[in-house]
Amino acid sequence: MEPLYQQTHKQVHEVQSHMGRLETADKQSLDLVENEIQASIDQIFSRLERLEILSSKEPPNKRQNAKLRVDQLKYDVQHLQTALRNFQHQRYAREQQERQREELLSRTFTTNDSDTTIPMDESLQFNSSLQKVHHGMDDLIGGGHSILEGLRAQRLTLKGTQKKILDIANMLGLSNTVMRLIEKRAFQDKYFMIGGMLLTCVVMFLVVQYLT
C-alpha cells in the first residue's frame, strides 16, 4: 500500500502546482492545460479506490491510520476538482459575455428603418440584464458544486463509518441480524443522498428558468 500511497500523494501535489498554470496559460493552450489537470484528477480518484481497498486489508493496529491518510487525500483531490470546475465555468461565462458584447457592438443602428432601430438605452439595459443573469448563474452553480461536494463527502464519511461499525461488530461477535440492520441503514442513507442531489438539480433548473 505504501508505494501506491506515496505516488498518489505526489500526484496530488503536482496537480496543486499545475493549477497555477490556468491563470497564466494563453487561450490557445488553456484547453490542453485543463484536460491534463482533469486527466490527473481522474487518475488520482482511480488510485484512491485502490488505496481504500488496500487500507481495509491492513492489520488492525494500522488500519485506522491508513484509512485516515486515504481520506485526507480524497479531501484534497475533491477540492482540486471543485476549483477546476469553478475556473472552467467562470471562463465560459467570460467568453460568452465577450461574444455577446461583440455581437452587440457589431450591430448596425439606423434611424430610418423602424424594424432595425434599437435604442441605445434599451441595448445597455439588455446587456446589464445579461450580466446579472451570468452573475446569478455563477453564484448558483458555485453553490450547487459546494452542495454536491458536501453530499459526496458525507457519503464517504458514512461509508467509512459503516466499515468501522462492521469491523467493531466482527470483533465483538454481534449477531447477523444487527449487522444486517446496520447495512440496511447505510443503504437507506445512500438513497437519501441521491434524493438530495436530485432535489438540488431541480432547484437549480427552476432558478435558471426564473432568471432567464
Side-chain angles (χ1 to χ4, degrees):
M1 173 182 171
E2 190 61 27
L4 181 60
Y5 173 83
Q6 293 297 335
Q7 292 175 4
T8 308
H9 186 267
K10 179 181 178 181
Q11 192 173 16
V12 169
H13 283 282
E14 290 175 350
V15 173
Q16 289 174 340
S17 63
H18 289 165
M19 292 292 290
R21 295 169 55 194
L22 294 173
E23 300 294 340
T24 58
D26 53 35
K27 290 184 178 181
Q28 288 74 19
S29 60
L30 191 55
D31 287 333
L32 179 61
V33 174
E34 289 180 356
N35 291 336
E36 289 177 353
I37 293 176
Q38 185 60 62
S40 297
I41 290 176
D42 292 339
Q43 187 178 23
I44 292 173
F45 275 123
S46 178
R47 287 182 172 179
L48 286 173
E49 292 179 358
R50 177 62 179 164
L51 281 171
E52 187 175 19
I53 296 174
L54 294 176
S55 65
S56 64
K57 297 180 180 180
E58 286 286 298
N61 60 331
K62 297 181 179 180
R63 188 177 304 157
Q64 183 65 25
N65 184 54
K67 289 182 178 179
L68 289 175
R69 295 169 71 193
V70 174
D71 288 341
Q72 181 60 47
L73 286 180
K74 287 181 180 179
Y75 178 82
D76 293 339
V77 75
Q78 285 168 359
H79 276 270
L80 291 174
Q81 180 70 85
T82 301
L84 177 61
R85 288 174 179 170
N86 288 340
F87 176 84
Q88 290 173 328
H89 171 68
Q90 292 173 3
R91 179 168 73 91
Y92 296 153
R94 286 196 302 268
E95 291 175 352
Q96 185 176 4
Q97 287 181 355
E98 290 175 0
R99 287 194 298 268
Q100 292 171 343
R101 188 179 299 110
E102 290 175 357
E103 292 175 359
L104 185 63
L105 294 176
S106 64
R107 290 179 181 176
T108 302
F109 298 95
T110 64
T111 57
N112 297 324
D113 190 353
S114 60
D115 293 332
T116 58
T117 301
I118 302 177
M120 186 59 76
D121 57 345
E122 182 180 347
S123 300
L124 293 175
Q125 183 179 2
F126 176 74
N127 191 35
S128 176
S129 299
L130 283 177
Q131 290 181 353
K132 290 180 181 179
V133 170
H134 288 312
H135 288 312
M137 286 293 296
D138 287 340
D139 296 338
L140 179 62
I141 294 179
H145 280 313
S146 300
I147 293 173
L148 291 177
E149 292 300 332
L151 290 171
R152 186 174 182 180
Q154 290 177 7
R155 176 180 176 273
L156 293 174
T157 302
L158 289 172
K159 188 175 181 181
T161 303
Q162 178 193 8
K163 288 184 178 180
K164 292 176 184 178
I165 293 175
L166 292 176
D167 290 339
I168 295 174
N170 287 328
M171 288 187 293
L172 296 178
L174 294 179
S175 66
N176 291 332
T177 301
V178 175
M179 294 178 66
R180 282 196 297 270
L181 289 175
I182 294 173
E183 293 177 350
K184 181 179 180 182
R185 177 57 185 274
F187 185 75
Q188 292 174 345
D189 289 340
K190 177 181 178 181
Y191 277 95
F192 283 136
M193 183 198 71
I194 295 174
M197 293 174 66
L198 292 175
L199 179 60
T200 300
C201 292
V202 171
V203 172
M204 289 175 62
F205 175 78
L206 293 177
V207 172
V208 170
Q209 291 296 319
Y210 175 77
L211 289 175
T212 56

